[in-house]
Amino acid sequence: MDDAFRIEVEALAGALDQLDYFGLLKVPQGAGHAEIKAAYYRESRAYHPDRFAAHPDAQLRELVGRVYRRVNEAYTVLRDDQKRARYVQDVNGPDRARKLRFTEADEVQVKEEQKKKLEEQMGTTPNGRKFYAAALTDIQAQRWDSALRALKSALMYEPANARFKEQAALVEKELDKTRAKGDEFRIK
């Protein structure tokens, strides 16, 4: 290890709080998955703590460890499309200085948003989800009466679920169409 590497590590460790993940991995914001992965492997090999475990300078080992942790953090965010999109939006936004790191709070917020979307799509209660899934099966098979019954059952468990109400309205329209067609052939 030479003095140039030591200077590079000290400079990089000192600049970590001003660098975004793209700058740290030395890739453009439009980089693809393969380019990000290659950059991660390149940087993680250069700053892997095991390479410096026997080095006598404890300060250098600590700085290398900080850089390596940040490289891993960058790769964790940039390899995930949803996290990356959110990160790019944050980094290019007005709060850039505050949003250079994707924190645990951001992670929790993203997971909560994903959970909320899933609950909106499939329901929040086990019985609501069960009846809604049965209704979707009936809708695919065009069993409108059965689908409507299942949706009404799902709405008993989740009366405020807008998705269930929307599907029930669509099924009722389909039922009205089928009933209107059936009247044409009825003997009067």
Side-chain angles (χ1 to χ4, degrees):
M1 174 179 353
D2 58 352
D3 289 334
F5 182 76
R6 180 180 188 73
I7 292 169
E8 179 185 336
V9 169
E10 288 174 353
L12 187 57
L16 280 178
D17 292 334
Q18 288 81 37
L19 278 176
D20 64 22
Y21 294 151
F22 297 103
L24 181 63
L25 293 180
K26 301 174 186 155
V27 294
Q29 282 190 8
H33 288 285
E35 194 175 350
I36 289 171
K37 187 175 185 178
Y40 165 70
Y41 284 127
R42 179 187 67 235
E43 298 300 315
S44 67
R45 272 193 305 270
Y47 300 107
H48 199 285
D50 289 349
R51 288 186 57 206
F52 305 96
H55 196 277
D57 188 354
Q59 181 187 12
L60 179 69
R61 287 195 311 263
E62 194 274 326
L63 292 175
V64 166
R66 281 186 57 216
V67 171
Y68 181 74
R69 283 189 297 276
R70 189 67 61 92
V71 166
N72 279 324
E73 181 181 308
Y75 183 61
T76 301
V77 171
L78 297 182
R79 73 178 177 196
D80 183 306
D81 289 333
Q82 290 177 333
K83 288 181 189 176
R84 180 180 178 174
R86 184 180 180 99
Y87 181 74
V88 167
Q89 184 180 14
D90 287 345
V91 167
N92 292 331
D95 290 337
R96 175 183 165 76
R98 209 171 49 81
K99 299 283 190 164
L100 287 176
R101 292 191 67 190
F102 196 83
T103 62
E104 288 296 319
D106 295 332
E107 178 78 21
V108 169
Q109 184 180 1
V110 167
K111 286 184 180 180
E112 287 296 320
E113 288 172 4
Q114 290 172 344
K115 182 180 176 186
K116 188 175 179 181
K117 279 184 181 178
L118 182 63
E119 286 177 349
E120 286 174 0
Q121 289 177 352
M122 294 302 290
T124 56
T125 64
N127 285 332
R129 285 192 294 270
K130 178 179 79 172
F131 284 116
Y132 184 66
L136 292 178
T137 303
D138 289 336
I139 288 170
Q140 279 186 325
Q142 296 184 351
R143 294 186 298 258
W144 306 117
D145 287 325
S146 179
L148 187 59
R149 277 193 303 277
L151 285 167
K152 286 182 178 179
S153 296
L155 281 166
M156 285 185 347
Y157 291 99
E158 297 180 38
N161 191 311
R163 181 95 167 168
F164 293 0
K165 290 177 184 179
E166 178 184 315
Q167 283 290 352
L170 292 173
V171 168
E172 285 177 344
K173 283 183 184 178
E174 288 296 326
L175 267 172
D176 290 343
K177 287 180 190 175
T178 357
R179 288 179 185 143
K181 284 181 183 176
D183 288 343
E184 294 174 4
F185 301 106
R186 183 178 270 168
I187 300 175
K188 296 181 183 179

